[in-house]
């Protein structure tokens, strides 16, 4: 039989063989049988040399075309068989319960902070931030608390040994870990003209020994509102609104006269609720606040004859402890999952 006449039946047989290969191993054998070095198709190509010279080009072209077809068919069948091999042998039971993925959670202090921030944002406050490594100008002096002021004694401050400080505008370069978020009041007012309406959640540091109610690092939220004609009534209404949002509609607050160097008059905020009563208390002290002292405005270049304002600061741990009935502040920092999972 002429070479050309042998090609078509060989091709058909090869294609049928490939289609019949039941798995990848069988397909490999089929491949060897037809197009491998000893394969039938390869054998056909070897006969090419025996053809008369003028018939060779046409026959060679034909053989190459068929070889291409066979390779394409081989690859297609291989893909089919690979897919088949990858599918599960047993049918999937879609009625089985799924595997639950363990999701992380936010730390209770973060949750409380987020809630407080959300409440203040509703009434137009924005979040501001400042450095935890502060200088004593922003932490004390600018807040009307000079070095010899007795109020500094109540803040047991961590001072940093390295006193080099790169900020050019800093008048006093003693570096420390901020003892309160009030320093950010100064940082913000230095940078922007009034009006100001900010809250500042952040970490603060004090040289306290850890016990059930103290920890050397804890968190505060500072608030500052500066505008024309701001009153202590605005302050009280704002604090009341936020605490009701946080702790429930039955919350009552009261202001007691107090002293802070950066506010005048100054108050301590007490609050009560069914929860507080359950703890056997009438009132709980929760925050400090007051009307911004004119000396502070002068320091940052705001005209105290034009601008008025109030500020407050409270501890986030304190609120979280009340809210969740936690009796030891240290639990927040131990990262014990048995504790954290409860919130
Ligand atoms: N900085 C005070 C503290 O750490 C809290 C405070 C009191 C903040 C009165 C204020 C304020 O902004 O006006 O105890």
């Amino acid at each position: 039989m002429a070479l050309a006449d042998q090609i078509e039946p060989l091709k058909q047989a090869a294609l049928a063989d490939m289609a019949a290969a039941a798995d990848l191993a069988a397909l490999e054998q089929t491949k060897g049988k037809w197009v491998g070095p000893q394969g039938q198709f390869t054998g056909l190509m070897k006969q090419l040399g025996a053809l008369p010279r003028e018939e060779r080009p046409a026959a060679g072209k034909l053989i190459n075309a068929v070889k291409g077809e066979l390779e394409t068919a081989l690859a297609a069948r291989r893909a089919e068989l690979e897919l088949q091999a990858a599918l599960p042998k047993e049918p999937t039971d879609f009625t089985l319960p799924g595997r639950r993925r363990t999701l992380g959670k936010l730390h209770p202090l973060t949750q409380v902070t987020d809630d407080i921030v959300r409440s203040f944002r509703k009434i137009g406050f924005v979040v501001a931030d400042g450095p935890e490594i502060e200088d004593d100008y922003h932490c004390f002096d600018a807040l009307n608390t000079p070095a010899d002021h007795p109020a500094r004694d109540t803040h047991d401050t961590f001072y940093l040994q390295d006193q080099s400080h790169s900020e050019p505008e800093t008048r006093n370069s003693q570096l420390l870990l901020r003892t309160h978020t009030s320093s950010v009041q100064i940082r913000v007012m230095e940078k922007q003209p009034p009006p100001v309406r900010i809250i500042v959640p952040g970490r603060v540091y004090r040289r306290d020994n850890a016990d059930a109610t103290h920890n050397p690092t804890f968190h505060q939220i500072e608030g500052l509102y500066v505008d024309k004609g701001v009153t202590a009534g605005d302050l009280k209404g704002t604090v009341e609104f936020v605490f009701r949002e946080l702790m429930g509609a039955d919350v009552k607050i009261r202001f007691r006269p107090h002293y802070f160097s950066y506010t005048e008059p100054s108050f301590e905020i007490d609050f009560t609720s069914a929860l507080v009563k359950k703890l056997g208390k009438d009132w709980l002290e929760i925050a400090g606040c007051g009307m911004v002292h004119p000396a502070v405005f002068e320091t940052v270049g705001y005209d105290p004859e034009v601008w008025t304002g109030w500020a407050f600061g409270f501890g986030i741990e304190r609120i979280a402890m009340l809210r969740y009935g936690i009796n030891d502040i240290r639990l927040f920092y131990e990262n014990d999952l048995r504790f954290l999972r409860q919130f």
Side-chain angles (χ1 to χ4, degrees), residues 136-244:
D136 54 4
Y137 174 76
H138 290 90
C139 201
F140 297 122
D141 299 66
L143 287 162
N144 199 27
T145 319
D148 58 354
H149 199 287
R152 278 205 195 187
D153 302 340
T154 65
H155 284 190
D156 294 311
T157 310
F158 287 111
Y159 286 95
L160 277 77
Q161 228 152 32
D162 176 16
Q163 317 218 331
S164 59
H165 196 313
S166 54
E167 263 188 76
E169 90 266 13
T170 305
R171 280 131 284 211
N172 198 330
S173 67
Q174 176 68 62
L175 288 183
L176 45 79
L177 297 179
R178 69 180 180 194
T179 55
H180 54 182
T181 43
S182 303
S183 52
V184 185
Q185 290 188 29
I186 303 300
R187 295 235 167 234
V188 169
M189 288 191 284
E190 276 175 343
K191 263 197 240 112
Q192 70 166 81
V196 177
R197 207 185 296 191
I198 54 157
I199 47 167
V200 185
R203 184 171 293 153
V204 300
Y205 303 82
R206 289 190 198 171
R207 286 183 52 180
D208 282 329
N209 291 321
D211 62 24
T213 54
H214 295 86
N215 198 65
T217 73
F218 60 103
H219 299 79
Q220 289 187 327
I221 282 208
E222 192 82 13
L224 174 67
Y225 178 33
V226 180
D227 208 330
K228 290 176 181 162
V230 172
T231 70
D234 299 329
L235 170 57
K236 195 164 183 207
T238 305
V239 172
E240 208 163 58
F241 166 76
V242 171
F243 274 98
R244 288 205 171 133

Side-chain angles (χ1 to χ4, degrees), residues 104-144:
K105 287 183 172 191
L106 294 177
H107 191 280
L109 290 177
T110 308
Q111 292 185 35
V112 170
T113 306
D114 286 353
D115 286 350
I116 297 172
V117 167
R118 198 173 303 122
S119 294
F120 275 105
R121 289 173 83 125
K122 283 188 191 170
I123 49 176
F125 283 74
V126 296
V127 173
D129 200 7
E132 289 175 25
I133 295 179
E134 249 310 352
D135 51 55
D136 54 4
Y137 174 76
H138 290 90
C139 201
F140 297 122
D141 299 66
L143 287 162
N144 199 27

